[in-house]
């Protein structure tokens, strides 16, 4: 995988005055970067400025300010506190590309006087706040921030709220564990809901939230965070890690004692022999980034051998035996220009943020999702605000929070619609997600077209024009009406007896589609194709789905406490439509799976499909391919990463491999032609 460089363009300082100004700005920004408040620039801009200052200092060592932030742990911005660290808690030096990693390797070799022989540990660089946690006789006694590296602040008030850092260990061990505390994405969402409920401003991002939460000692609420250890040191002279243990062994001892470590993250800790392999692991971790449940801002490469670490030594800011390979920022700041509202096929009003174009992780972002009116108000968004926008990998970008310090004078709150943006009718505001009071009828043409689509009822030839004609004639008021249409009505709508007969035949065939497709065609809020398949597989029949209450609905994988009652309510509201479907003879059962999940030729393998299928699979749409993969025991993936088992891809006619095929080749993922894949799952076809 090619990683977009984290720092794209380096600004060059023109002289001493320029340097002084940049230094002052860097001090101001670093206080915000490490502090609780809004940061007026994003990380990418901060890193650029920091590198420009550093470059000038390296070119003019005699003129560099003696107290420059570039020479201090945490850029000298974090409050020092009054608790002395047992040994200095250092930061890390950064590189941004493969050449930087090799240069670090060369410097390590110079310091050792020979090539390092103990291999390298590679682990994720979690984007939170560094802390030291002191355990005595198995009891967590104190948590201390990094501060200036020599002294930190006592933040023991968070003891008991940090997952992975238990108050009591199963063993009476005495040691100090060092690592990163942060909000996982799920914890961050919850934290912001709790804050909004208390009238507090939402956190701009998980890192700012962590810094603020560590410092805030008298909040009326407690917020859950998570810890991962990346090191351990001895405490009170009690030996903990055996002398000479490697970095990986030290972390294994920490995990053994009951504290979570970087090795426990989905990205894991990998020990490799060479820097080329380390680079490979960096790329694999970068490819996983979007799927990780917490933010990472890089990958750390460390000499694994304790003796080599000691021989390489440390400077005042960072150890020479470790390096942070920074990844591009996935959060940028840009201006919220407008918010537009669409009506989904189920009648839900969906807001989209229109943004000043901004480059995030190699692509230009102009639109981002927002949730609903209540969420827009919770985030206190104003038009013209500078907002933080998050995007990683293939996910849809989302707006996180406004930078209130940069709010222009006279900015007004994001206006909320007063009428349905589609039909200008009334809005139903009973739930946080507003809906057109007409519900599905508002977006009926789109809904019927969706229901007739290839992956749902698959009524070939029933496109938007004929759907509109049927609706206008009053022949179709919901999806069930399709199944009672006469050939005459279809002839009138399509303008030809031949077409009418063909459509009638297609509709007849659509009656026997599996339940998953019939259910999906209902357009229940929050149930797309995959979710409909899961619901149908879980309950087996439409009757069972209709009988399920919220608790039972929640048993379906991927349906949480918030979604379940909404689905139950919608299914109940669709009762007349479902009754009509059943009366028209539409299938209400899901065919039994050939094999229990997890068995079959693809047992638990993740399979990604790209391009046109051919041979025995030629007629299968993407949804059918996904269903086939699941029948054969596998999981359907959307992007190629290190966990992908197979990529199914036809060789491209032009001989130009797709981006997915290129990625598969880089990661060593097996690529199968549609024909070879069909052989593999032959028993599950049809
Ligand atoms: S090692 C002496 N490993 O990144 C070694 N640091 O930008 C010091 N960080 O201050 C740190 N994940 O707070 C290390 N796997 C990891 C890390 C990690 C996150 C943080 C840490 C450090 C900062 C430097």
């Amino acid at each position: 995988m090619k990683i977009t460089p984290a720092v794209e363009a380096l600004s060059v300082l023109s002289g001493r005055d320029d340097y002084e100004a940049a230094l002052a700005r860097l001090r101001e920004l670093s206080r915000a970067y490490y502090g609780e408040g809004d940061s007026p620039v994003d990380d990418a801009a901060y890193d650029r400025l920091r590198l420009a200052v550093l470059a000038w200092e390296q070119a003019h060592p005699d003129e560099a300010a003696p107290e420059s932030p570039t020479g201090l742990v945490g850029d000298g911005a974090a409050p020092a506190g009054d608790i002395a660290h047992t040994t200095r808690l250092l930061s890390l030096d950064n590189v941004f590309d493969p050449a930087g990693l090799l240069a670090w390797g060369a410097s390590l070799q110079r310091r050792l006087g020979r090539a390092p022989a103990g291999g390298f540990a590679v682990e994720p660089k979690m984007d939170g706040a560094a802390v030291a946690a002191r355990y005595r006789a198995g009891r967590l006694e104190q948590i201390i921030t990094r501060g200036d590296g020599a002294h930190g602040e006592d933040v023991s008030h968070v003891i008991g709220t940090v997952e992975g850092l238990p108050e009591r260990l199963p063993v009476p061990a005495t040691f100090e564990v060092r690592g990163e505390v942060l909000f996982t994405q799920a914890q961050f969402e919850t934290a912001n809901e709790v804050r909004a409920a208390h009238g507090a401003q939402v956190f701009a991002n998980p890192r700012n939230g962590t810094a603020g939460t560590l410092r805030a000692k008298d909040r009326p609420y407690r917020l859950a965070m998570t810890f991962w250890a990346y090191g351990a040191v001895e405490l009170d002279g009690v030996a903990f890690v055996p002398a000479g243990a490697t970095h990986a062994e030290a972390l294994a001892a920490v995990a053994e004692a009951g504290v979570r470590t970087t090795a426990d993250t989905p990205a894991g800790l990998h020990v490799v022999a060479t820097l080329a392999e380390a680079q490979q692991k960096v790329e694999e971790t970068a490819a996983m980034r979007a799927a990780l449940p917490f933010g990472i801002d890089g990958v750390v490469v460390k000499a694994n051998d304790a003796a080599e670490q000691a021989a390489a030594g440390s400077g005042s800011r960072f150890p020479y035996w470790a390096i942070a390979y920074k990844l591009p920022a996935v959060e940028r700041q840009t201006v919220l220009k407008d918010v537009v509202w669409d009506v989904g096929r189920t009648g839900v009003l969906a807001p989209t943020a229109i943004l000043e174009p901004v480059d995030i992780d190699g692509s230009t972002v102009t639109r981002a999702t927002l949730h609903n009116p209540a969420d827009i108000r919770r985030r206190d968004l104003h038009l013209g605000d500078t907002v933080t926008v998050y995007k990683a990998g293939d996910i849809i970008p989302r707006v996180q929070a406004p930078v209130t310090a940069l709010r222009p004078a006279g900015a007004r709150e994001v206006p909320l619609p007063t009428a349905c943006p589609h039909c200008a009718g009334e809005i139903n505001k009973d739930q946080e997600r507003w809906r057109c009071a007409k519900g599905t009828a508002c977006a009926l043409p789109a809904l019927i077209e969706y229901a007739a689509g290839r992956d749902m009822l698959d009524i070939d030839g029933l496109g938007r024009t004929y759907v509109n004609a049927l609706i206008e004639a009053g022949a179709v008021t919901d999806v069930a009406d399709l199944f009672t249409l006469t050939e005459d009505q279809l002839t009138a709508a399509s303008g030809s007896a031949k077409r009418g007969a063909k459509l009638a035949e297609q509709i007849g065939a659509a009656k026997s589609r599996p339940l998953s497709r019939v259910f999906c065609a209902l357009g229940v809020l929050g149930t797309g194709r995959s979710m409909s398949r899961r619901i149908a597989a879980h309950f087996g029949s439409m009757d069972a789905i209709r009988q399920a209450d919220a608790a039972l609905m929640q048993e379906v994988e991927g349906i949480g406490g918030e979604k379940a009652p909404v689905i139950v309510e919608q299914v109940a509201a669709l009762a007349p439509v479902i009754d009509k479907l059943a009366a028209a003879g539409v299938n209400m059962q899901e065919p039994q799976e050939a094999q229990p999940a997890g068995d079959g030729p693809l047992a638990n393998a993740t399979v990604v499909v790209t391009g046109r299928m051919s041979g025995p699979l030629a007629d299968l749409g993407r949804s059918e391919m996904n269903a086939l993969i699941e029948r054969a025991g596998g999981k359907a993936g959307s992007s190629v990463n290190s966990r992908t088992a197979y990529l199914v891809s036809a060789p491209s006619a032009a001989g130009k491999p797709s981006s997915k095929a290129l990625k598969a080749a880089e990661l060593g993922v097996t690529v199968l032609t549609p024909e070879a894949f069909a052989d593999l799952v032959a028993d599950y076809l049809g």
Side-chain angles (χ1 to χ4, degrees):
M1 181 190 141
K2 188 180 174 310
I3 305 174
T4 323
V7 173
E8 309 105 34
L10 187 63
S11 38
V12 178
L13 302 179
S14 59
R16 171 106 207 157
D17 288 351
D18 218 11
Y19 168 65
E20 297 279 355
L23 205 57
R25 177 81 174 141
L26 190 63
R27 286 205 176 96
E28 181 194 326
L29 294 178
S30 63
R31 274 193 295 274
Y33 182 98
Y34 289 100
E36 179 175 12
D38 285 339
S39 184
V41 300
D42 50 41
D43 288 4
Y46 178 85
D47 277 345
R48 254 197 314 275
L49 181 66
R50 191 175 176 284
L51 284 179
V53 167
L54 204 57
W56 197 88
E57 288 171 346
Q58 277 162 0
H60 308 86
D62 299 339
E63 292 184 59
E67 73 303 359
S68 169
T70 58
L72 302 172
V73 167
D75 294 351
D82 51 8
I83 311 289
H85 283 300
T86 45
T87 57
R88 279 175 65 76
L89 224 162
L90 295 177
S91 180
L92 287 168
D93 198 9
N94 299 325
V95 295
F96 301 92
D97 51 24
L101 185 63
L102 290 177
W104 169 75
S107 78
L108 180 62
Q109 178 159 345
R110 263 198 317 278
R111 287 178 196 281
L112 298 180
R114 57 172 172 76
F120 301 97
V122 186
E123 59 192 68
K125 181 174 180 324
M126 278 86 54
D127 196 6
V131 294
R134 293 179 180 169
Y135 280 96
R136 289 193 171 87
R139 194 189 175 90
L140 177 54
E141 291 198 339
Q142 199 172 31
I143 304 183
I144 309 151
T145 62
R146 186 176 63 183
D148 67 358
H151 292 84
E153 286 182 296
D154 187 326
V155 291
S156 304
H157 65 98
V158 297
I159 289 177
T161 64
V162 188
E163 269 184 50
L165 203 52
E167 286 181 80
R168 279 214 163 268
L169 300 178
V171 288
T174 294
F175 64 107
E176 178 176 300
V177 68
R178 292 171 166 195
E180 202 81 351
V181 61
L182 48 68
F183 285 110
T184 62
Q185 199 53 45
Q187 288 172 331
F188 178 63
E189 301 293 334
T190 307
N192 273 341
E193 280 168 25
V194 171
R195 278 178 67 83
H198 282 82
Q201 205 188 331
V202 299
F203 293 131
N205 61 39
R207 191 193 51 230
N208 276 0
T210 306
T213 303
L214 288 178
R215 204 161 316 135
K217 299 205 165 107
D218 43 18
R219 281 187 188 149
Y221 50 88
R222 304 189 93 195
L223 302 174
M225 298 182 287
T226 304
F227 174 86
W228 282 280
Y230 50 66
V233 293
E234 70 171 41
L235 189 60
D236 305 338
V238 180
F240 173 66
V241 177
T246 64
H247 174 65
E249 286 163 354
L251 288 194
V254 170
E256 180 75 12
V259 175
R260 209 171 281 181
T261 77
T262 50
D264 301 318
T265 64
L269 177 138
H270 308 272
V271 177
V272 296
T274 67
L275 270 191
E277 290 166 278
Q279 174 70 35
Q280 174 72 25
K281 290 291 167 204
V282 168
E283 289 167 18
E284 284 173 24
T285 309
M288 290 179 74
R289 190 182 193 186
L292 292 175
F294 53 83
I296 64 170
D297 61 339
V299 184
V300 187
V301 181
K302 301 171 176 176
N304 192 35
D305 183 84
E308 288 184 346
Q309 288 186 357
S314 298
S316 62
R317 281 185 65 231
F318 47 77
Y320 298 124
W321 47 265
I323 193 77
Y325 192 124
K326 291 276 276 202
L327 295 177
V330 280
E331 188 192 276
R332 299 293 304 264
Q333 292 182 0
T334 188
V335 174
L336 175 64
K337 296 199 300 192
D338 199 2
V339 172
V340 294
W341 298 80
D342 296 309
V343 182
R345 59 193 163 77
T346 53
V348 169
L349 271 55
T352 301
I354 306 296
L355 305 166
E356 194 66 56
V358 61
D359 203 55
I360 309 184
D361 197 6
S363 68
T364 304
V365 173
T366 58
R367 296 163 78 88
T369 52
L370 290 165
H371 297 277
N372 55 54
D375 186 72
I376 289 173
R377 285 291 176 263
R378 267 200 294 274
R379 287 172 207 264
D380 186 31
L381 291 168
H382 286 50
L383 296 184
D385 265 345
T386 295
V387 292
T388 50
V389 179
Y390 177 89
K391 175 190 169 287
D394 294 335
I395 73 156
I396 301 169
R398 60 171 186 261
V399 172
Q400 303 215 120
V403 183
T404 42
L406 299 180
R407 176 166 292 159
R412 61 190 177 108
E413 279 189 326
V414 168
L416 303 178
T418 51
C420 170
H422 190 238
C423 70
E426 235 179 90
I427 299 173
N428 174 344
K429 302 180 180 175
D430 289 351
Q431 295 181 0
E432 286 208 337
R433 303 180 77 179
W434 290 2
R435 270 179 287 175
C436 172
K438 293 201 194 93
T440 52
C442 174
L444 189 60
L447 176 65
I448 301 292
E449 203 186 351
Y450 171 83
R454 193 171 177 198
D455 291 330
M456 266 64 67
L457 298 171
D458 195 12
I459 305 175
D460 198 17
L462 190 61
R464 177 60 73 99
T465 316
Y466 302 161
V467 167
N468 280 342
L470 287 165
I471 291 172
E472 271 161 34
V476 169
T477 60
D478 59 38
V479 62
D481 286 342
L482 290 175
F483 293 97
T484 50
L485 289 172
T486 62
E487 218 172 295
D488 284 350
Q489 285 171 307
L490 288 164
T491 298
S494 64
S496 123
K498 199 170 153 202
R499 278 198 290 265
K502 176 89 194 311
L503 281 169
E505 188 188 313
Q506 287 285 323
I507 289 172
K511 287 184 181 172
S512 49
R513 303 282 177 243
L515 174 65
S516 57
R517 286 158 160 258
V518 176
F519 183 78
C520 192
L522 292 172
V524 172
L525 189 68
T527 62
R529 285 167 294 188
S530 305
M531 183 58 82
S532 296
R533 267 202 305 279
R534 267 181 260 150
I535 292 174
H538 185 88
F539 292 106
S541 73
M542 186 70 94
D543 278 347
I545 298 177
R546 297 174 81 172
Q547 278 158 22
D549 59 9
L552 278 177
M553 192 57 76
Q554 235 177 291
E555 285 177 9
V556 178
E557 193 199 327
I559 299 185
E562 225 169 47
K563 206 169 184 176
V566 180
I567 297 178
V568 170
E569 184 210 278
Q570 296 225 349
V571 170
L574 283 162
V577 183
I578 299 172
D579 287 343
K580 263 160 68 178
L581 284 168
V586 174
N587 170 52
M588 296 280 149
Q589 307 288 326
E590 187 68 352
Q592 285 300 303
E593 286 210 357
Q595 293 270 342
D599 270 6
L602 301 179
N604 292 321
T606 301
V607 181
V608 176
V609 176
T610 189
R612 285 189 77 81
M613 292 298 100
S614 50
L617 308 180
D619 288 338
L620 301 195
R622 201 57 91 236
S623 173
E624 287 159 317
M625 281 298 289
N626 290 350
L628 171 62
I629 291 164
E630 284 170 22
R631 278 204 302 282
K635 280 184 262 174
S638 56
S639 61
V640 176
N641 58 42
S642 57
R643 285 162 303 162
T644 309
Y646 302 112
L647 173 69
V648 184
S649 166
S652 93
K656 188 169 170 285
S658 67
S659 60
K660 284 199 172 70
L662 283 173
K663 201 173 207 180
E666 279 173 32
L667 295 178
V669 170
T670 308
V671 183
L672 296 176
T673 61
E675 287 75 9
F677 184 71
D679 278 350
L680 186 64
V681 296
D683 291 346
Y684 298 80
L685 278 171

